[in-house]
Amino acid sequence: MAPPSLLALDRARELQAPPPRGAPYSVPLPGTATQGRSAVYRNWRFQDELLQTLDPSITTMHDAFEQSAKRVPTNRCLGHRPYDPVTKTFGQYVWQDYQTVQRRRANFGVGLVQLHKEAGVTEKTYGVGLYCNNRPEWQIMDLACMSQGLYSVSIYDTLGPEATEYIINHANLACVATSLNHIPSLLKLKPRLPSLKLIISLDPLSEGEQSGYSKAEILNALASDLGVKIYSIEDVETLGGMTHQPYNPPRPDDIITINYTSGTTGNPKGVVLTHANAVAAASSSLIVARQATDDVICSFLPLAHIYQRVGEHSALWSGAAIGYFHGNIAELVDDLKLVRPTTFSGVPRLYNRFGGAIKAATVNQPGVKGALSRHVVSTKLAAINDPVAPSNTHAIWDRLWSKKVVAAFGLDRCRTMVSGSAPIDPSLHQFLRVVFANHFLQGYGLTETYAVSLAQLEGDFSAGNCGAVAQTTEVCLQDVPDMEYLSTDKPFPRGELLIRSSTRFREYFKNEAETTKAIDADGWFRSGDICTVDELGRFRIIDRVKNVLKLAQGEYISPERIENVYLANCGQLATAYVHGDSHQSFLVGIFGVAPDQFAPWASKVLGRSVDMTDLKAVTEAAEDPKVRKALVKELEKIGRKNKFNSYERVKAVRLFVEPFTIENELLTPT
C-alpha cells in the first residue's frame, strides 16, 4: 500500500518545473540597485517572499522527523554494514525502520538530559559533542538532541587533537558522544578539558566478559581519576527508557547545531544555525533534488560538514532511507552497489575519479568498444549543446550503453546527482551528464547558509556556473574596487556575493567581532566569493575577496601564512609561492633558494659538493628530483611541527635560483 501523501513533497514537485525556455532562472528586483551594489536577485518563483518551509506545520527538524515516523513507521530509515571479525569483511546492509529510530532517539534524548543533571549541568539547553565518522548512531544522537531541545556540536575527526580541544572548550561541552577509537584521545586531552564530564561510546563497551574485563570497566577505571564517566549508547537509552520523560521539543529559533568551520588564519569559528535555518535548507533541497519517500541515499561525505547534513535532513523529512558507507572511502563503490542510491551528492574530487574510471573503461578502450563509446558520447554531447532543445538522454544509447556503464558504480537508479563544495570542471560535468543521463546539477552554499544559496535547475544544461538563486535566498553583488570588480561591469555585473536568506546563520558563537564583520546592518552576509551573473540569472564564482585558496575537498587555505612559516623555518629557501585550487586536493610550492645555505644542504642530500658560487651547479642541484624529494620531507616536518592540517602541507615542489623577478613580471617593483 502506498504511504500517505506528504504536503512538503507535493509542494516540492509543484515547484520543480523550470521557467519557460529562454526565461531567467533568477530575476533582478526592480529599483533595488544602489551605489556600489547590483540589483537584488531572487529565484524566479519567489520574487515576492523567500521560502521558509514547504509545510507550514513543520517549523523544526524535530517536527519533520516525527511526521515521517508517524507517516511511514515501517519504512527503512538508517542502515549500516556490520563487520564480521571472523571473515574480516563487511556484510549486507542491516536496516532500522522509522519507528525503531523514533523510539531510540526518544530514549537517548531523555537519558542525555538525566546524565547531564547528575553531572551538575543545570542549563535548560546546551550542546552535546558528536565525534565520529558517518554512522546511524550519529543521526540517532542528533535526533535525540532535538527531542529535548538540545543541540549537537560536530567535531570533524580528522582535524587533530588541537582542534578537538579548542571546540570542546569553546562550546563548553560537558558530554561528547564518540566512537570507541576516540575515547583514549579524549582521556589524554581531559586535563585540558575542564568542562568535559561525560563520554558516551557509540560502540558497545561490554560483550559478556567476566567481571573486570569489559571495555566499560577498564575505560572507567582510567577515567575515574580524571573526573569523567563513560557510558555506552545502550546504557543511555536504557536509562532514558526507564525515566519516562516526554519530549521537550525545540522552537524554530532554537539552535539545532553549532558547526565549526576549519579556520584559515586562526581557530575554527562556531557557526550557530537554527531549526528555522535547517527547515528552510531542507525545503530547498527537496525541490532541487527531487526527493521521494521511496528514495535511498548513501551517506559518506563527512556529517561534520553541513553539505551532507542538509541531505540527510531532506531524506528524513521525506521518509527516505539513509545507508551509511562502511568507512573506507576507497571502497565506496562496494557500498553504492548495495545501496543503489536514487539521489547522490558528491564533490569534484570524487567525480574526477568517476570520470577517469569511466573513460578508461569506455572511450579510451581500443577496438569496437572504444569506437562505440566515443560515438555515444559525441552524439550525446551534441544533443546537450543543442541551442534549441538540449537534452542529455537518448532512447537507445541510455538503455544499451549508459545503464551498463553506471551500473558498475551502483548508480543505475540515480535520478539526481549534486556536485558541491568546490567547482567541478565544466568538461567533466558535461561528460558525466551524458554518461549518467540524469539531473546532474552544481550547487553553491556555505556553512553560514546551511549549504544552500545557489543551484542549477532542472533543464539547465549549462556548465561552469552554480545556477539560480535558491528559493530561500536573495543575493546581490557588491563592488570590490581594489580588485577591479564592479557591479556596473559589462556585459555582466561582477562583485562580492552578498547573501540574505532564511538559511543564513545567526552568529559566530562567542565571537561578536567576526559576526559584525560577516553580517552588515541590513542582514547581508559577506560570502567572500567574487561572482558574475549572466542574462539568465545564473551565478558563476570567479575569484575570492581574500587571498585564500579552496581545495577540491572544500577546505580553505591561507597560502601567505604557510609561505611565511616555511620561510621562517627553512633557511635554504629565499622566496616562496604556495598554490592550490579547487580542482586539486593538495598544495604545491615554487621556491627560490638561498645559494649560501642551499648549497651545503644540497651537498649532503646528493653526496657530492655543490659550490654556492657556481650558479649552474646550484641550478642543477635545484632541479634534481632527489633534492626536491628531500625538501618535501623537510617541509612535512615543518608543517607537523607548526600543527598544519594535512591539507595545508605542500606535497610537490619546484626549485629555482631566482623564480620571481621584475624582469619576468612575477614581481612588482614595490
Side-chain angles (χ1 to χ4, degrees):
M1 188 173 74
S5 64
L6 183 66
L7 177 59
L9 293 181
D10 293 342
R11 183 91 196 283
R13 278 190 287 271
E14 293 172 4
L15 298 170
Q16 281 163 0
R21 183 164 301 282
Y25 299 94
S26 309
V27 295
L29 303 184
T32 57
T34 60
Q35 181 67 34
R37 285 188 184 178
S38 73
V40 173
Y41 285 78
R42 286 185 176 179
N43 183 278
W44 74 285
R45 285 189 181 273
F46 288 85
Q47 299 180 44
D48 296 326
E49 61 179 354
L50 303 181
L51 177 65
Q52 305 283 338
T53 177
L54 289 170
D55 180 349
S57 71
I58 302 299
T59 58
T60 69
M61 289 314 301
H62 169 82
D63 296 337
F65 177 77
E66 281 297 294
Q67 184 184 62
S68 291
K70 293 172 182 175
R71 187 176 68 94
V72 288
T74 59
N75 270 27
R76 296 184 307 172
C77 183
L78 309 178
H80 76 289
R81 297 177 63 192
Y83 181 71
D84 187 335
V86 177
T87 62
K88 300 189 184 304
T89 58
F90 290 88
Q92 298 292 312
Y93 273 88
V94 175
W95 294 91
Q96 301 174 65
D97 61 20
Y98 270 83
Q99 61 188 359
T100 300
V101 174
Q102 181 188 36
R103 183 186 70 252
R104 291 189 66 189
R105 77 99 165 211
N107 291 340
F108 197 2
V110 173
L112 274 175
V113 171
Q114 185 63 30
L115 288 178
H116 277 79
K117 285 180 180 178
E118 293 174 5
V121 177
T122 58
E123 290 88 353
K124 289 185 178 180
T125 186
Y126 41 81
V128 181
L130 258 173
Y131 186 24
C132 64
N133 281 331
N134 298 24
R135 54 188 294 176
E137 293 81 8
W138 198 106
Q139 194 58 254
I140 291 170
M141 175 72 180
D142 198 36
L143 291 167
C145 289
M146 297 179 203
S147 73
Q148 292 296 326
L150 310 179
Y151 57 88
S152 60
V153 178
S154 54
I155 302 170
Y156 193 27
D157 63 357
T158 61
L159 286 180
E162 292 82 11
T164 302
E165 176 186 341
Y166 175 80
I167 291 170
I168 292 173
N169 285 332
H170 190 256
N172 196 35
L173 300 179
C175 175
V176 173
T178 186
S179 50
L180 179 61
N181 63 307
H182 287 314
I183 294 178
S185 300
L186 290 173
L187 292 179
K188 287 180 184 178
L189 289 172
K190 173 55 186 138
R192 302 194 297 276
L193 303 174
S195 65
L196 184 64
K197 299 173 182 175
L198 305 166
I199 296 175
I200 298 173
S201 172
L202 301 178
D203 297 298
L205 292 180
S206 179
E207 297 175 337
E209 299 93 344
Q210 67 185 80
S211 179
Y213 285 84
S214 72
K215 298 183 186 78
E217 291 167 299
I218 294 170
L219 288 171
N220 270 299
L222 297 171
S224 60
D225 293 338
L226 298 169
V228 178
K229 291 184 178 180
I230 301 175
Y231 299 87
S232 70
I233 185 173
E234 292 87 354
D235 296 333
V236 184
E237 290 181 55
T238 300
L239 175 63
M242 295 168 56
T243 308
H244 304 296
Q245 182 175 317
Y247 285 144
N248 178 27
R251 301 183 302 271
D253 59 348
D254 284 342
I255 300 172
I256 188 172
T257 187
I258 298 179
N259 199 275
Y260 280 82
T261 63
S262 53
T264 55
T265 57
N267 290 317
K269 295 195 289 282
V271 180
V272 177
L273 296 161
T274 68
H275 278 270
N277 296 151
V279 169
S283 295
S284 182
S285 178
L286 287 173
I287 297 170
V288 172
R290 303 190 298 180
Q291 201 94 50
T293 298
D294 59 353
D295 275 351
V296 58
I297 69 172
C298 184
S299 174
F300 66 95
L301 296 173
L303 273 165
H305 282 179
I306 205 68
Y307 180 23
Q308 179 64 35
R309 196 163 187 166
V310 71
E312 297 198 20
H313 285 333
S314 304
L316 293 173
W317 191 357
S318 65
I322 305 170
Y324 291 87
F325 87 126
H326 72 277
N328 185 349
I329 195 67
E331 298 172 353
L332 174 63
V333 171
D334 295 342
D335 300 316
L336 294 177
K337 287 180 178 179
L338 294 174
V339 172
R340 296 182 65 217
T342 53
T343 301
F344 184 81
S345 296
V347 295
R349 185 179 180 186
L350 179 65
Y351 289 128
N352 288 339
R353 291 173 58 188
F354 281 5
I358 292 170
K359 288 176 181 178
T362 58
V363 294
N364 292 341
Q365 286 285 305
V368 175
K369 185 176 183 180
L372 176 62
S373 297
R374 290 188 291 274
H375 173 73
V376 171
V377 170
S378 63
T379 299
K380 296 191 71 179
L381 281 175
I384 206 172
N385 292 316
D386 188 301
V388 178
S391 171
N392 67 331
T393 60
H394 191 283
I396 298 174
W397 296 131
D398 290 351
R399 180 167 50 87
L400 297 181
W401 186 82
S402 292
K403 194 170 183 65
K404 293 179 180 178
V405 173
V406 301
F409 295 87
L411 295 171
D412 49 306
R413 297 195 306 171
C414 200
R415 298 190 302 268
T416 302
M417 296 175 72
V418 183
S419 180
S421 149
I424 186 171
D425 178 75
S427 62
L428 174 66
H429 194 181
Q430 297 298 65
F431 174 75
L432 293 178
R433 273 175 166 161
V434 303
V435 170
F436 286 100
N438 58 15
H439 177 40
F440 191 154
L441 65 116
Q442 178 167 218
Y444 166 88
L446 306 98
T447 306
E448 288 87 347
T449 64
Y450 225 109
V452 172
S453 297
L454 306 167
Q456 292 179 309
L457 302 184
E458 193 164 356
D460 179 11
F461 293 105
S462 63
N465 68 76
C466 298
V469 178
Q471 300 82 359
T472 56
T473 304
E474 59 184 0
V475 305
C476 66
L477 300 181
Q478 178 170 272
D479 291 354
V480 187
D482 291 348
M483 300 178 72
E484 299 183 353
Y485 292 121
L486 303 175
S487 56
T488 54
D489 285 346
K490 304 297 180 184
F492 303 121
R494 300 188 302 171
E496 181 183 6
L497 183 69
L498 305 187
I499 302 170
R500 196 162 57 183
S501 70
S502 47
T503 65
R504 199 215 70 203
F505 75 123
R506 178 192 294 173
E507 63 188 341
Y508 292 121
F509 190 56
K510 297 180 183 176
N511 198 335
E512 185 178 350
E514 288 297 323
T515 302
T516 303
K517 284 182 188 177
I519 304 174
D520 71 14
D522 296 319
W524 289 103
F525 167 62
R526 297 189 59 186
S527 72
D529 286 313
I530 305 292
C531 284
T532 184
V533 55
D534 68 14
E535 72 280 5
L536 294 181
R538 298 175 298 199
F539 287 77
R540 181 165 60 92
I541 312 297
I542 57 175
D543 207 341
R544 281 285 294 172
V545 172
K546 300 176 183 177
N547 183 25
V548 176
L549 306 173
K550 190 177 186 182
L551 298 183
Q553 61 269 55
E555 301 292 351
Y556 287 109
I557 303 294
S558 175
E560 186 175 0
R561 177 177 68 92
I562 296 169
E563 292 160 1
N564 290 337
V565 170
Y566 283 150
L567 292 175
N569 291 276
C570 201
Q572 61 266 42
L573 302 180
T575 55
Y577 171 72
V578 170
H579 177 74
D581 65 42
S582 53
H583 298 291
Q584 302 295 334
S585 60
F586 59 91
L587 298 173
V588 296
I590 296 175
F591 298 95
V593 302
D596 59 334
Q597 293 192 48
F598 174 79
W601 176 79
S603 297
K604 291 180 182 178
V605 172
L606 296 172
R608 58 179 174 82
S609 177
V610 177
D611 184 354
M612 66 178 182
T613 62
D614 186 346
L615 291 184
K616 182 179 179 182
V618 171
T619 300
E620 289 175 352
E623 294 173 349
D624 193 296
K626 192 174 180 180
V627 170
R628 298 210 304 265
K629 186 176 180 181
L631 181 63
V632 170
K633 286 186 178 180
E634 189 90 4
L635 299 180
E636 178 72 11
K637 291 178 184 176
I638 294 169
R640 290 183 182 277
K641 181 180 178 182
N642 287 272
K643 299 179 181 179
F644 284 4
N645 292 304
S646 60
Y647 50 79
E648 293 179 303
R649 301 173 199 154
V650 164
K651 304 297 184 185
V653 301
R654 290 294 304 274
L655 301 177
F656 299 86
V657 174
E658 206 172 8
F660 313 111
T661 66
I662 296 173
E663 288 72 24
N664 66 16
E665 298 182 348
L666 294 179
L667 192 68
T668 64
T670 56

